[in-house]
Every structure is written in structure tokens, then in C-alpha cells.
Amino acid sequence: MTAAARETLILTRSEIAGLMTTGDWLDAVETGFRAAAEGRAEGAPPMALEGSGGTFHAKGATIRLGPHYAALKLNGNFPDNPLRNGLPTIQGALLLCDGETGALLAVMDSIEVTLRRTAAATALAARYLARQDSRSILVCGCGEQGAAQLIALRPVLPLVRVTAWDRDFGRAEEFARRFRDDGIAAEAVRDLPADRPPFDVIVTATSARAPFLLRESVHAGTFVAAVGADSPGKSEIHPEAMRGAKVVADLLAQCVVMGDLHHAIAAGAIRLDEVHGELSELVAGAKPGRTSDHEVTIFDSTGTALQDVAAAATIYAKAAGNPGFRTVAFAGE
């Protein structure tokens, strides 16, 4: 093995952000779900490790895209970090390896990967589950993920009106100002607007441990992306809001043990055999997406390593061989 073959790319968050466009993230996530449908990608069950004030999540998957890749990501999710410690809520690292030799190809900061691939999965789901004339959106949770969700959705849907809600009204106001300046009608609200006209799209991207989105807030024709409940103790969507809806999971085996589907099944609001399917099945054409303007569609997004490995492979392909990026010789003499 040559010295060059042993070198491992080290990629920071800002470097990853500079390499990837919104379209790149969407294409990468679509590639991951399509590969899963075709039997070219598979993931292992996620692992959770409790910290003090947060949880560590480990997720791993492999994908064959010509080259064979394996990725393992460890994230710490500490919701109080921004206010208490001046640190991001989510921090961690992703390892990308050669699936044929085991060589460590890259070590990547995981913040940008997690943020953008999560939002890209919502945009991908919206292609199949949202009404394509959707113009209004309610964003619940106005942190980085809420902003990433809106950024990812705007190229996919003709959104012109944004309503922002957060437990911290100041953060909702800041969110509205940011996107209002970006040429979209945006307003912040102190309370969830149950008495307002129906929203075409609702995104929940919070760290809530009790459901706040009630059935009466979800009207016929709405597409809901449930993003925040990425562990069994989190919950955003009231189980009754799932009753009778067309529910699509990012990964069904994962959603039945965490996320909002987990809570809806436990409450008896939906049975496992009533879940419409997985996003990979929609991407592959094995199952239809939205079939009526009146359907309520819900995407239960718990975040999968399929998204991570596909995104990491795309990032690596863009960065490999570029002398502007730092490498370290971890293996060998």
C-alpha cells in the first residue's frame, strides 16, 4: 500500500458546506433511498448512549455506488447547549471507509451532514407526498434544522408564505425576519395557530418530549414532516393526528421504536399494517405517493444512516484528490 493510499481526508463543517449545494444534498439522499430499495445499501440498528443533559446516537450503513462505502456517525444531541454552553445542539463526527479494504477514507464533521441530509429527506418526501401547488408552510421549531428544512423545501415547492412558531418567541421572530428578507412572506406567532387558514405543509423540528401538534391543526391536504422525534422519548405529533393519515417512514423498523409513529402505534391510533410504506418504496416506484389533494400525508423522519453514507460518499467524491483539503496518514508506518 502506498503512502498516498493511506491518507485520510479531514473535512470541517465549513469545507463540507462549500462543497455541497442544496441540489447535491437532495440528489445524495435520493441516491441513498434508491440504493436501499434496490438492495445496494443497508443500515444497522442505531445505538443510543445517554450523557448528562443529552444523548449520543451512533448510526452506520453501507452503500454500493460502484465503489463500496461504509459510514459510521456518532452525534451528541444536547438541546440545552446553545443557551447553557454556547455550543451547537448537535456535534459529532462521521467516518467514511472503503467497503472493500476497510481503509479510512475520510473523517468529517457531522453537523453539516446531519443538518442538510435531514432537510433533504423532507424535500425528497415532499416530491411524493406534498401537493405540488403547496404555497404555505408552518415551521415548528426555529433553530438550525427548521431553517434548513425551509431552505431545502423552497426549490421543491412554490412556497410563498411562512408561519414560524417556537417556544422562544424571539427565535421565531428572528427566523421570520431572516426569510422575510429573502423574499418570502414570513410571520412569527406566539401560539400554534389553530384558528388560521389551513397550512399546505407543516414541519416539526423540535426537541419536544410531549406532542404539541394536534389533530385540529392538520387539515385535509396537508403534508406533515415530523423531524424532531429521533429517540423514543421525543414526541411532536399527537397520535390522533396520525389516525387515518397516509404515513410514510424513512425506515419503518426504526420508526416503530422511536419517532412519532412509535407513539401513535402505542396509543392505538394506527396499526403497523396501516403504515403506507417507506420513502425508499416511493422513490423506487414500488408504492404511490399522494393520490388525492384531500389526503393528509405524514413523513416520519427519524434520520437514517442510509442518508449519511450516501451524503458522505458524495462529499468524498467531490473532495478526493483536491490539494486544498487536509489529509492525515492514520494507517501504516
Side-chain angles (χ1 to χ4, degrees):
M1 183 181 291
T2 67
R6 290 195 298 266
E7 291 191 341
T8 301
L9 273 169
I10 308 296
L11 294 172
T12 66
R13 179 181 183 180
S14 62
E15 288 169 338
I16 292 168
L19 284 168
M20 297 285 283
T21 67
T22 300
D24 290 333
W25 291 110
L26 181 57
D27 290 345
V29 166
E30 182 176 14
T31 294
F33 281 107
R34 190 178 300 279
E38 295 172 352
R40 295 184 291 109
E42 59 181 356
M47 180 175 67
L49 301 169
E50 290 302 321
S52 300
T55 305
F56 295 93
H57 300 280
K59 296 179 178 179
T62 62
I63 192 168
R64 294 182 181 272
L65 300 172
H68 189 187
Y69 296 106
L72 178 65
K73 185 180 76 176
L74 178 66
N75 268 353
N77 189 323
F78 287 69
D80 292 335
N81 258 355
L83 290 178
R84 183 174 296 174
N85 303 311
L87 295 170
T89 298
I90 293 176
Q91 302 171 91
L94 184 151
L95 307 182
L96 181 69
C97 298
D98 186 316
E100 296 179 4
T101 68
L104 180 59
L105 300 175
V107 179
M108 305 181 186
D109 183 284
S110 69
I111 295 176
E112 193 72 8
V113 176
T114 302
L115 186 70
R116 302 299 173 185
R117 63 76 153 151
T118 303
T122 295
L124 181 63
R127 281 182 174 175
Y128 300 95
L129 296 174
R131 298 197 328 271
Q132 294 309 295
D133 62 350
S134 295
R135 295 171 65 82
S136 64
I137 182 171
L138 170 65
V139 177
C140 302
C142 297
E144 281 197 275
Q145 185 54 245
Q149 292 280 319
L150 184 53
I151 290 168
L153 281 166
R154 290 187 69 186
V156 176
L157 299 174
L159 299 170
V160 296
R161 180 168 62 87
V162 179
T163 301
W165 174 81
D166 194 283
R167 289 180 301 175
D168 181 344
F169 181 62
R171 191 156 69 164
E173 286 186 305
E174 182 180 344
F175 185 99
R177 280 194 298 271
R178 170 182 175 181
F179 288 99
R180 189 182 305 125
D181 292 343
D182 198 25
I184 194 168
E187 65 170 337
V189 294
R190 293 186 180 276
D191 301 304
L192 280 176
D195 59 343
R196 290 171 178 259
F199 294 99
D200 300 323
V201 177
I202 300 174
V203 170
T204 59
T206 75
S207 57
R209 292 188 169 270
F212 57 82
L213 188 69
L214 305 179
R215 184 181 180 91
E216 51 264 35
S217 296
V218 182
H219 296 80
T222 300
F223 164 59
V224 179
V227 175
D230 59 357
S231 66
K234 295 181 179 179
S235 178
E236 298 180 304
I237 314 299
H238 194 281
E240 285 300 315
M242 285 197 169
R243 191 184 297 276
K246 176 176 280 185
V247 177
V248 172
D250 55 2
L251 196 63
L252 187 56
Q254 189 166 294
C255 290
V256 297
V257 296
M258 62 178 67
D260 287 295
L261 180 58
H262 158 68
H263 297 289
I265 291 174
I270 186 172
R271 299 192 311 271
L272 182 59
D273 62 3
E274 292 177 314
V275 177
H276 181 65
E278 295 183 323
L279 182 54
S280 60
E281 295 177 296
L282 274 59
V283 171
K287 290 186 178 179
R290 174 180 289 275
T291 54
S292 163
D293 284 347
H294 301 290
E295 286 180 306
V296 171
T297 55
I298 299 177
F299 175 50
D300 195 19
S301 175
T302 53
T304 81
L306 299 172
Q307 299 159 246
D308 294 322
V309 69
T314 300
I315 294 164
Y316 180 74
K318 287 176 172 286
N322 188 323
F325 296 111
R326 185 161 59 101
T327 60
V328 174
F330 278 115
E333 297 179 0

